[in-house]
Amino acid sequence: MNRWTFSHKLAFRFLVIYCAMYMSYTWLRFQTVPGLTQLHRFLWPLWRGFVTFFNDNFLHIRETLVEPNGSTDTSFSWASQFTILIVGVIGAIVWSALDRKRPNYIIGEYWLRVSIRYFIAYFALYYGIIKLFGLQMPLPSLSQLSTPLGDFSQTRIAWLSIGASPSYQFFSGVLETGAGLFLLFRRTQTMGLILSIAVFANIVAINFGYDAPVKIMSMHFFLLSVYLLSFDARRIIEFFFMQDPWDVSSRRGRWTQLGAKLVFVYLSIGVAVILSIKGYRSQHFVVNTRPIEQGTYDVTRFSLNGDSVSQRWNDLVLYGVTGSIKTTDTIFVHRYERAYFSFEVDSALQTLKIKRDYDDENALMSLHYDLPDTNTINLSGVLRSDSLFVVLKRSKKKFRLSEQEFHWVQESSQ
């Protein structure tokens, strides 16, 4: 008889309780299966009270718990997660004490694996199919298109980026749907698990990288897929790593093979690393522009030859050795409805040289600057053949995108 070790039996007991609770909680919360809405009305208040009890007496995540909405990483979601974890540990210990003589749970493990496999398959199919129709990340609305990029959260940027490319969303839906279909059959479940791990690993990376509020759920799909695939670990390792390599019998052939491989490694890795280091240094090139502070400025006055004109500068940004202005003036290089330039500060002469490119010898204009206070820059000089005078005030506007921090608990999906 196949006798399991104590740790194996303890792990199984924990997984049964944990997975049963988490999968039931997830099914109940989503209500996508007919009949679950009625069940939700009866069971959800019981679950809410159960989780609230654990939070008030043990967890103390938040004083008032926010239930899942567009975000599945709310305070209630995390309280539910830790409640399931605690109950799983306690339940496994009690179960082990009551059933310590059982040699194994071979049949139980089989049904645990089947239930997890169909759980993953269902949600892979659900999310994959709605992606095929472009519903999970819809095309950006007119209101969203009219919103400045800096006002969006990282999450919304990710969603809008995918929504803006229906073909990519369809492609990701095909992969997710394919993983779900492969998981439906035992003969193809290994392929389905390999595909689901790849799909969910990408989703986890997006959720963590863009601070998307579906971290708990995506991590479960990924880790449960890894758990199921671990049962095929030996076959996979033998297939990918234990195959007989191509044998080069002669000594000269082996040295030729090694030399060719070293050349390829240098060309594919060494050159890429060298170019990446150079590119990184150029992108993070720091220049001292003091006493002029870098940042965003509002243009409070713009005049040519002493008169205000319509073709004015609306706002100005100084960052690194580059800048941009909201203007239609064709003297600048235009991208995305802004005029871009490079600049150079000469603190001795109190001049701000504006160029098309940083390495250009000739400047578009050389402006004298005056700093009446820490938030104001006065610029004067010649634009083309006209006398130019500009007053810049440091902008108080904050950009949500650049200031957003990572959040484990997210009470909304905005």
Side-chain angles (χ1 to χ4, degrees):
M1 182 179 291
N2 185 5
R3 180 172 292 276
W4 288 7
T5 63
F6 174 77
S7 59
H8 190 175
K9 289 187 286 187
L10 184 64
F12 168 80
R13 292 160 183 157
F14 168 76
L15 279 174
V16 167
I17 299 172
Y18 181 90
C19 291
M21 292 185 68
Y22 180 77
M23 289 189 292
S24 299
Y25 162 72
T26 304
W27 286 111
L28 194 63
R29 180 167 55 83
F30 268 76
Q31 308 174 58
T32 50
V33 176
L36 283 184
T37 301
Q38 289 73 20
L39 195 61
H40 179 274
R41 293 172 184 170
F42 173 72
L43 292 179
W44 192 257
L46 299 177
W47 178 254
R48 184 192 299 116
F50 187 58
V51 171
T52 302
F53 170 80
F54 268 85
N55 181 70
D56 293 344
N57 292 278
F58 306 105
L59 301 174
H60 307 292
I61 292 176
R62 293 278 170 86
E63 185 175 348
T64 302
L65 297 177
V66 176
E67 295 192 15
N69 40 65
S71 167
T72 61
D73 292 340
T74 64
S75 51
F76 184 88
S77 301
W78 280 105
S80 298
Q81 179 63 37
F82 285 115
T83 298
I84 294 171
L85 186 64
I86 292 171
V87 172
V89 172
I90 296 174
I93 294 173
V94 173
W95 187 356
S96 297
L98 298 175
D99 195 26
R100 58 182 179 274
K101 294 184 179 180
R102 186 182 294 272
N104 59 59
Y105 295 92
I106 294 176
I107 296 176
E109 188 178 60
Y110 168 80
W111 287 110
L112 173 65
R113 291 164 61 182
V114 170
S115 62
I116 293 175
R117 177 160 61 91
Y118 276 89
F119 175 74
I120 297 171
Y122 175 84
F123 284 99
L125 288 168
Y126 175 78
Y127 282 110
I129 290 172
I130 64 174
K131 283 186 179 74
L132 295 179
F133 289 88
L135 297 177
Q136 187 174 8
M137 294 90 164
L139 284 166
S141 66
L142 290 177
S143 295
Q144 291 169 330
L145 291 172
S146 302
T147 303
L149 178 69
D151 291 341
F152 285 115
S153 65
Q154 290 179 326
T155 301
R156 197 53 52 195
I157 289 292
W159 257 236
L160 294 176
S161 297
I162 298 175
S165 177
S167 59
Y168 175 77
Q169 185 171 183
F170 183 85
F171 170 74
S172 60
V174 169
L175 294 181
E176 209 163 347
T177 302
L181 291 174
F182 281 131
L183 288 173
L184 295 180
F185 308 99
R186 283 182 296 175
R187 290 183 179 272
T188 58
Q189 65 177 335
T190 301
M191 182 62 196
L193 290 170
I194 293 174
L195 190 56
S196 69
I197 287 174
V199 168
F200 291 127
N202 180 58
I203 293 173
V204 168
I206 291 174
N207 292 340
F208 276 82
Y210 286 90
D211 199 25
V214 279
K215 303 178 186 71
I216 298 175
M217 194 172 184
S218 60
M219 279 295 295
H220 274 84
F221 292 147
F222 173 74
L223 292 176
L224 290 175
S225 298
V226 172
Y227 164 70
L228 292 183
L229 190 63
S230 67
F231 290 92
D232 293 322
R234 178 175 295 179
R235 288 196 303 137
I236 294 173
I237 291 173
E238 289 179 353
F239 179 81
F240 285 104
F241 301 104
M242 300 302 179
Q243 300 289 335
D244 291 334
W246 175 50
D247 181 31
V248 181
S249 56
S250 68
R251 185 175 182 180
R252 177 179 296 180
R254 289 195 295 270
W255 279 108
T256 301
Q257 183 186 45
L258 177 62
K261 183 172 292 187
L262 290 175
V263 171
F264 179 81
V265 168
Y266 171 75
L267 293 175
S268 60
I269 299 177
V271 173
V273 170
I274 293 171
L275 293 176
S276 296
I277 292 173
K278 291 181 179 179
Y280 180 86
R281 287 176 176 174
S282 64
Q283 288 186 10
H284 295 79
F285 182 49
V286 179
V287 175
N288 183 12
T289 61
R290 291 185 178 276
I292 291 182
E293 296 289 342
Q294 300 187 11
T296 304
Y297 292 87
D298 296 322
V299 180
T300 59
R301 182 179 175 186
F302 180 86
S303 63
L304 292 175
N305 300 322
D307 298 322
S308 297
V309 295
S310 58
Q311 192 178 3
R312 55 165 292 160
W313 299 352
N314 292 306
D315 62 71
L316 185 142
V317 175
L318 299 177
Y319 179 75
V321 295
T322 62
S324 68
I325 308 171
K326 181 69 174 179
T327 181
T328 58
D329 195 336
T330 56
I331 196 174
F332 300 102
V333 176
H334 285 261
R335 295 195 301 272
Y336 308 113
E337 297 185 1
R338 291 190 67 85
Y340 284 78
F341 60 87
S342 295
F343 70 94
E344 181 181 328
V345 177
D346 189 328
S347 57
L349 298 177
Q350 287 189 277
T351 57
L352 176 70
K353 290 184 179 180
I354 296 179
K355 310 174 181 179
R356 281 184 174 269
D357 295 304
Y358 187 77
D359 294 329
D360 285 354
E361 295 182 0
N362 299 321
L364 296 175
M365 62 192 82
S366 182
L367 305 176
H368 176 79
Y369 67 81
D370 178 47
L371 308 175
D373 57 62
T374 56
N375 294 316
T376 307
I377 302 176
N378 294 333
L379 299 175
S380 57
V382 176
L383 174 59
R384 295 185 177 90
S385 58
D386 298 315
S387 175
L388 172 69
F389 182 72
V390 181
V391 178
L392 305 175
K393 288 283 187 180
R394 180 173 286 275
S395 177
K396 296 181 180 180
K397 180 176 176 59
K398 302 295 183 181
F399 296 104
R400 179 181 182 183
L401 182 61
S402 62
E403 297 186 351
Q404 180 172 316
E405 299 178 353
F406 183 85
H407 303 89
W408 284 105
V409 179
Q410 291 172 274
E411 307 291 29
S412 70
S413 59
Q414 300 302 313

